Amino acid sequence: MRNKFMAVTVGALLGLSGMAAAQPPEGKGPPAGKGPAKKEAAATAGKTELTWWGHAAFVLRTPGGATLAIDPWFSNPKAPQGAQWPEQVDAILVSHGHFDHVGETKALQQKTGAQVFGCYELISLLGIPQDKAVGGNVGGTFKVKDATIHFVEAVHSSSYAADEKSPSQYAGAPMGFVIQIDNGPTLYHGGDTGLFGGMSQIAERFKPTYALLPIGGHFTLDPTGAAQAARLLGNPTVVPMHYGTFPLLAGTPDKLEADLKKAKSNAKVKPLEPGKATAL
């Protein structure tokens, strides 16, 4: 999205005077000259824990000690104030190349030594060390401790620019992720997506327990579309995301609840508070 279209959209419609290239917030980024920090404990009491950082950014911790960061735009306007970045991350999952999803991927990788997973074309653009860059495509499956990560389809676009002065480059196909936790829940992170029939195939194969779905509209699903997506996905518990970050992303969890009822879906809605770890 860091192109002329996005500059106009963000500047004019959202009332922002240009979006700076994603950088580590002061005091939260990687310590200068230091390598990966010590490992953190596994999720409390054998539970999988999910923390929302606002927008589409999440940190997932598993009972087996895996820590996954998804679309880590940790400096987004809804991010928890004063929160420190995770000290230990095993894998960073990036759904597509737009700045509000790539976020602080490179800095977080440098801080933690994590592997970075995403579309082959995108990963090749991010400047990640070769031994830490895991580029794949829809259909790929990867194992990180007790988490199995599947790359799945998303309906969106994808381009990447290293900074505001650089031209946008084709960043391959956008993707979502299905994350299966051994002896635990299965999560589907839709990335930025619209509604597509393949969601029913995701339901048939993976049977997700939780669906992290965008509800903001304009660039992604709105609440009505997310309600239809929940039905196609087999009515998992829906964790709404990608809303409220800017006025343009107007969908709300309350509207999603109402639209689920209209769609005759029995899926539950589980809104998360930014910065609060939630046991699943």
Side-chain angles (χ1 to χ4, degrees):
M1 286 187 190
R2 268 204 187 92
N3 48 28
K4 292 182 179 179
F5 167 76
M6 192 58 189
V8 171
T9 302
V10 174
L13 296 181
L14 306 183
L16 301 177
S17 58
M19 184 66 70
Q23 299 291 335
E26 186 176 355
K28 300 180 186 178
K34 293 187 178 180
K38 64 181 181 180
K39 290 187 176 182
E40 297 177 348
T44 304
K47 295 287 188 179
T48 299
E49 290 182 349
L50 184 67
T51 304
W52 186 40
W53 276 71
H55 207 61
F58 292 86
V59 173
L60 178 68
R61 290 191 173 93
T62 74
T67 300
L68 281 60
I70 309 171
D71 284 355
W73 186 28
F74 287 163
S75 60
N76 75 79
K78 301 293 280 187
Q81 295 298 308
Q84 296 296 310
W85 288 13
E87 291 296 325
Q88 180 262 332
V89 177
D90 297 289
I92 302 168
L93 314 184
V94 188
S95 65
H96 63 290
H98 296 156
F99 79 94
D100 55 327
H101 295 260
V102 173
E104 284 78 45
T105 291
K106 189 170 182 178
L108 184 63
Q109 193 284 322
Q110 291 173 340
K111 174 182 172 69
T112 64
Q115 291 184 298
V116 180
F117 293 79
C119 184
Y120 179 85
E121 288 85 355
L122 172 61
I123 296 301
S124 68
L125 297 173
L126 294 180
I128 304 298
Q130 187 173 358
D131 63 334
K132 298 296 183 180
V134 186
N137 217 315
V138 172
T141 297
F142 308 89
K143 186 79 173 181
V144 178
K145 295 183 178 177
D146 60 336
T148 302
I149 303 159
H150 304 273
F151 290 179
V152 296
E153 179 185 5
V155 177
H156 195 58
S157 59
S158 182
S159 59
Y160 173 75
D163 54 56
E164 289 184 322
K165 296 180 180 179
S166 300
S168 292
Q169 301 180 67
Y170 172 69
M175 294 192 299
F177 305 106
V178 173
I179 305 168
Q180 295 174 309
I181 311 300
D182 293 351
N183 302 311
T186 295
L187 290 80
Y188 164 60
H189 184 293
D192 274 4
T193 192
L195 191 68
F196 61 94
M199 288 178 172
S200 62
Q201 296 174 330
I202 291 172
E204 181 179 356
R205 179 177 176 185
F206 300 112
K207 299 176 175 58
T209 317
Y210 294 89
L212 285 52
L213 294 178
I215 65 166
H218 197 92
F219 297 109
T220 69
L221 292 166
D222 61 7
T224 303
Q228 294 294 331
R231 291 192 62 186
L232 289 174
L233 291 164
N235 297 313
T237 297
V238 178
V239 176
M241 66 173 186
H242 208 283
Y243 70 94
T245 322
F246 307 113
L248 193 64
L249 307 181
T252 66
D254 286 345
K255 181 66 165 58
L256 174 60
E257 292 240 23
D259 285 334
L260 282 168
K261 291 179 181 178
K262 290 180 183 177
K264 297 182 179 179
S265 167
N266 60 4
K268 296 180 179 179
V269 179
K270 191 178 185 68
L272 300 187
E273 177 184 339
K276 183 179 179 180
T278 301
L280 303 179

